[in-house]
Amino acid sequence: QVQLVESGGGLVQAGGSLRLSCAASGSIFSIDHMAWYRQAPGKQRELVARIFASGTTNYADSVKGRFTISRDNAKKTVYLQMNSLKPEDTAVYYCNRIDLYGSVRGSWGQGTQVIVSS
């Protein structure tokens, strides 16, 4: 069974940076397509960034130029480097496996909380 554990969240001032990590176990990982999502209070979960097994990435318009998704297959970990953070980035961040069409494949973990103060 695949398990994903998110970490790296915290409280940061606007303009600051954080790096989130998502450690995977129970899968080959190198062939997995991965994504980061976030859910702000009172809002639906939304896609933040995706990275396919090929290394191709894409981003939500709201984070383009500020966030970078990457992966380390040897460590079975996917990262989300978040720079120039804004209060509207405040949310619980989750990672998950996706298929080639972007559909979520697994169950959701606990996520990691990011709070950006103004």
Side-chain angles (χ1 to χ4, degrees):
Q1 185 172 351
V2 177
Q3 286 191 320
L4 301 170
V5 179
E6 302 96 341
S7 63
L11 173 63
V12 64
Q13 287 189 330
S17 298
L18 283 173
R19 189 176 82 153
L20 307 184
S21 299
C22 170
S25 60
S27 75
I28 298 176
F29 188 76
S30 61
I31 62 172
D32 286 334
H33 311 303
M34 301 294 296
W36 282 98
Y37 294 80
R38 67 186 181 187
Q39 187 168 20
K43 294 187 176 181
Q44 288 191 330
R45 188 151 24 205
E46 63 176 358
L47 175 68
V48 175
R50 300 185 291 194
I51 184 165
F52 294 91
S54 64
T56 300
T57 60
N58 48 51
Y59 299 88
D61 287 343
S62 59
V63 306
K64 276 181 184 175
R66 300 189 298 122
F67 290 12
T68 303
I69 188 171
S70 62
R71 64 192 298 158
D72 184 331
N73 290 336
K75 294 183 178 179
K76 294 190 175 183
T77 301
V78 61
Y79 302 100
L80 186 68
Q81 178 67 43
M82 306 187 296
N83 298 328
S84 302
L85 282 161
K86 304 175 181 180
E88 51 263 45
D89 295 318
T90 294
V92 179
Y93 284 71
Y94 303 87
C95 67
N96 214 325
R97 296 192 300 159
I98 57 173
D99 64 20
L100 197 57
Y101 305 100
S103 297
V104 172
R105 291 181 58 194
S107 56
W108 297 102
Q110 292 187 332
T112 186
Q113 175 78 59
V114 172
I115 299 174
V116 184
S117 63
S118 56

